[in-house]
Amino acid sequence: LGGGPRSTTLEVAIYQSLRFDFDPARAAVLALLQLGLCALVAILTLKFQKMPDVEIGLSAGPTRAPVTTTSPLSLCLILIAAVFVGMPILAMLIDALAGPVQAVLNSDYLWRAAIYSVFIALTASVLSLLAGWLMLRSSSAMANLGQERKARLIELSGSIVYALPPLVIGTGMAMRQSNRRYQRLCESLSLQGWQRFRLVDWPLLRRPAGLAAALVAALAMGDLGVIALFGSSETATLPLLIYQQLGAYQLPQAAVTAVVLLILCLLLFWALERGLGGKVNA
């Protein structure tokens, strides 16, 4: 939201059209343009994506990962990425520790915004998992019937927003392989509905579902778009509070609030991934 005219993205342009220019028609056109671009990228991604053939088992024992070596180029790229991501976070932590930590933490407004942020994150996580589950079930059923094109269209409908859907593709792959491998066995045992979900689907999908829920919650907690348009002082989240503090030139307070947001995101991510996904060897 701090970009100038030369660095305005479609999302920022939509926000400016609604918030500052009061031009809903222009915002609608920009939104359709953004949707079209995301759909184009998603179509190209799914077109060149090949579903890998993997073996999935229900063994409870730990699996030994293959021994691999990391090239010097990979290590160099990882180091560059770590520095690129870590330096701004380090600078934020330094500013936060030098800022009015006690005053910010004693603010009721901060913790009310934190509660709203956690509530929105958990709600988005539950709704996303439910919608993703229903869509992936339909996609897997279509694929089992040989209707591959319809299955891809269903996957595409859930990935347009993100354009590059690695989580959807990964979870969809696990569910499709599960159906292909255990469909006849479940039919012979008359295993369906809740019993099939509990005994077959959930053990296979628990870890990717936990990761997906954790990522959705973290993304929703840090999102500013919708709450910046429709939020108020009574329903402010932590990202909106940071935006308001920056707008009022309260940079030290914004740094402290950003650290609180970062800590809450990490805690929520860990809780959902570990609680819902279970232990690695479980």
Side-chain angles (χ1 to χ4, degrees), residues 4-278:
R6 292 181 178 272
S7 59
T8 298
T9 63
L10 280 174
E11 187 173 3
V12 176
I14 294 171
Y15 176 82
Q16 292 171 343
S17 298
L18 291 174
R19 195 74 171 182
F20 300 117
D21 300 334
F22 304 103
D23 190 352
R26 182 170 180 267
V29 173
L30 292 173
L32 290 175
L33 177 60
Q34 184 181 27
L35 181 63
L37 290 176
C38 289
L40 178 61
V41 175
I43 290 173
L44 292 176
T45 302
L46 292 177
K47 181 177 179 60
F48 292 105
Q49 166 218 338
K50 182 181 183 296
M51 186 70 67
D53 294 327
V54 297
E55 286 293 327
I56 299 178
L58 291 175
S59 174
T63 57
R64 179 173 297 178
V67 179
T68 58
T69 57
T70 305
S71 65
L73 178 60
S74 299
L75 291 175
C76 183
L77 292 176
I78 292 173
L79 180 61
I80 293 174
V83 172
F84 180 78
V85 175
M87 291 303 291
I89 297 179
L90 179 61
M92 180 185 67
L93 291 174
I94 294 174
D95 292 340
L97 292 176
V101 179
Q102 189 68 29
V104 174
L105 294 181
N106 288 336
S107 173
D108 294 337
Y109 191 53
L110 171 74
W111 297 112
R112 185 165 63 247
I115 292 174
Y116 274 113
S117 297
V118 173
F119 174 76
I120 290 175
L122 293 177
T123 303
S125 181
V126 171
L127 293 177
S128 297
L129 279 182
L130 179 60
W133 170 261
L134 295 175
M135 292 171 61
L136 290 173
R137 288 289 297 178
S138 300
S139 175
S140 300
M142 292 292 182
N144 287 338
L145 294 175
Q147 301 176 356
E148 193 70 27
R149 185 180 297 273
K150 291 183 179 180
R152 290 298 182 96
L153 288 176
I154 294 176
E155 292 177 4
L156 175 63
S157 65
S159 59
I160 288 178
V161 177
Y162 300 104
L164 297 175
L167 284 177
V168 173
I169 292 174
T171 308
M173 178 191 70
M175 185 174 293
R176 190 177 298 186
Q177 292 287 349
S178 170
N179 282 342
R180 287 177 178 175
R181 185 172 184 179
Y182 300 109
Q183 179 66 28
R184 293 183 179 178
L185 177 62
C186 292
E187 290 177 353
S188 64
L189 297 175
S190 300
L191 199 62
Q192 57 185 352
W194 167 250
Q195 292 300 325
R196 171 168 178 168
F197 172 79
R198 183 175 64 89
L199 297 175
V200 178
D201 294 330
W202 180 242
L204 294 173
L205 298 175
R206 180 174 182 177
R207 289 187 61 194
L211 178 59
L215 285 175
V216 169
L219 289 172
M221 180 173 285
D223 185 69
L224 179 63
V226 176
I227 197 66
L229 288 173
F230 305 106
S232 63
S233 58
E234 298 297 326
T235 59
T237 59
L238 287 176
L240 182 58
L241 178 58
I242 295 172
Y243 179 65
Q244 293 171 348
Q245 290 171 335
L246 291 174
Y249 299 101
Q250 298 176 354
L251 302 185
Q253 291 85 347
V256 177
T257 307
V259 172
V260 173
L261 174 61
L262 177 62
I263 293 174
L264 285 178
C265 283
L266 292 175
L267 290 176
L268 188 61
F269 187 96
W270 175 83
L272 286 175
E273 185 188 24
R274 196 66 179 270
L276 188 62

